[in-house]
Amino acid sequence: MILYKSTADIAKMREAGRIVARTMREVAACIAPGVTTKELDAMAGEKIRAAGGVPSFKDYRGYPADTCISVNEMVVHGIPNDRPLGEGDIVTLDFGVILDGWHADGAWTYPVGKIAPNAQRLMNITREALMQGIAKAKAGNRVGDIASTVQRYCESNGYGVVTELVGHGIGRKLHEEPSIPNVGRPGKGEPIRPGMTFCVEPMINEGTADVRYLDDKWTVVTADGKLSAHFEHTVAVTKEGPVILTQE
Ligand code: MF3
Ligand code: CO
């Protein structure tokens, strides 16, 4: 069942989203060669709690950290660890915040020091795919319009679009209906209506779309070992169009 949100509900999610965005910016400023993903995780957790929020991933189905941090060939759900980041890596920070019972969730891929042109291009295209997808999140469209837009844009740029993992409705829970896939057909799927709140989150591979899980049962990596990028915003659909909630 899709749970539609009132203007007041959306305002509360926006406050949670503001904490996501501010934390993202502050933690991202500390990304550098030599820093560990555990240090970034600790920083994010502290900032979220200091703002009055709760990191929503911690203990979600037994997830062991406050954030997911995925490096290079990791697609999503990398568990923060003690391995230092290296010059030329790309790193995705992904976390959610609960504030007064309402969730927001976001992810962003960042460069570590100076990165190669192919890595920068993958990040640029994935971020642009997110924004083009969000632009389709308006009343009268369907979920397939978002999905097909992301798919076409990324595939026409030669990339693999991950299908195993999808975006999702969000609200009082981290994951609600509907699913927001990154591949689909225009004009198909759930109709988009005002009051819907969901996460759009393209996970895009430099090589093939195939993924596998590491032995930790969480970390998703590209099957071919090539790079992957992931950008995510929490979006509310209003009569005036899509509103990004995970921004300051
Ligand atoms: N990043 C995922 C999402 O956007 C949620 C991760 S759940 C966790 O839906 F348990 F891995 F943290
Ligand atoms: Co999400």
Side-chain angles (χ1 to χ4, degrees):
M1 190 186 46
I2 293 174
L3 299 169
Y4 294 86
K5 280 79 179 181
S6 69
T7 306
D9 298 339
I10 291 170
K12 289 182 194 155
M13 290 179 66
R14 196 185 189 124
E15 289 309 312
R18 254 191 254 282
I19 298 175
V20 170
R22 188 170 72 229
T23 303
M24 193 69 73
R25 175 173 56 75
E26 291 175 354
V27 173
C30 299
I31 291 172
V35 174
T36 71
T37 54
K38 233 185 197 165
E39 288 167 341
L40 297 174
D41 177 73
M43 215 177 287
E46 265 169 42
K47 288 175 188 301
I48 291 166
R49 292 185 181 91
V54 174
S56 53
F57 293 2
K58 176 81 171 145
D59 299 327
Y60 178 87
R61 297 181 183 217
Y63 186 73
D66 289 338
T67 66
C68 296
I69 305 186
S70 304
V71 182
N72 294 337
E73 78 285 357
M74 294 179 191
V75 178
V76 286
H77 303 168
I79 301 173
N81 62 25
D82 289 318
R83 204 183 61 103
L85 295 170
E87 179 97 20
D89 288 345
I90 62 172
V91 58
T92 303
L93 306 181
D94 181 6
F95 51 85
V97 167
I98 315 168
L99 185 71
D100 296 333
W102 291 93
H103 288 252
D105 177 13
W108 211 259
T109 304
Y110 297 96
V112 181
K114 189 169 162 44
I115 63 172
N118 65 304
Q120 187 63 55
R121 179 174 180 272
L122 174 68
M123 289 169 51
N124 293 350
I125 299 287
T126 307
R127 188 183 59 237
E128 176 63 18
L130 169 65
M131 300 317 289
Q132 290 196 14
I134 290 171
K136 301 290 169 130
K138 52 186 187 187
N141 280 352
R142 289 174 180 259
V143 166
D145 294 309
I146 299 172
S148 61
T149 297
V150 170
Q151 178 181 12
R152 251 189 292 118
Y153 183 68
C154 294
E155 288 182 350
S156 69
N157 277 286
Y159 293 141
V161 180
V162 176
T163 57
E164 264 94 326
L165 299 127
V166 296
H168 49 93
I170 184 169
R172 287 192 182 276
K173 290 165 86 181
L174 175 59
H175 294 139
E176 296 182 354
E177 288 180 23
S179 287
I180 310 290
N182 294 304
V183 303
R185 301 172 80 84
K188 302 287 183 192
E190 197 66 50
I192 295 170
R193 298 197 170 93
M196 287 173 80
T197 48
F198 49 74
C199 294
V200 182
E201 48 178 320
M203 289 150 271
I204 305 301
N205 296 349
E206 191 185 13
T208 71
D210 300 331
V211 299
R212 63 185 182 87
Y213 284 79
L214 295 187
D215 289 339
D216 64 22
K217 299 281 194 289
W218 278 105
T219 313
V220 181
V221 297
T222 57
D224 61 13
K226 293 188 177 175
L227 297 176
S228 187
H230 175 208
F231 290 80
E232 173 181 20
H233 272 311
T234 298
V235 175
V237 181
T238 73
K239 286 201 195 87
E240 287 75 40
V243 176
I244 296 174
L245 302 181
T246 35
Q247 61 187 9
E248 287 183 84

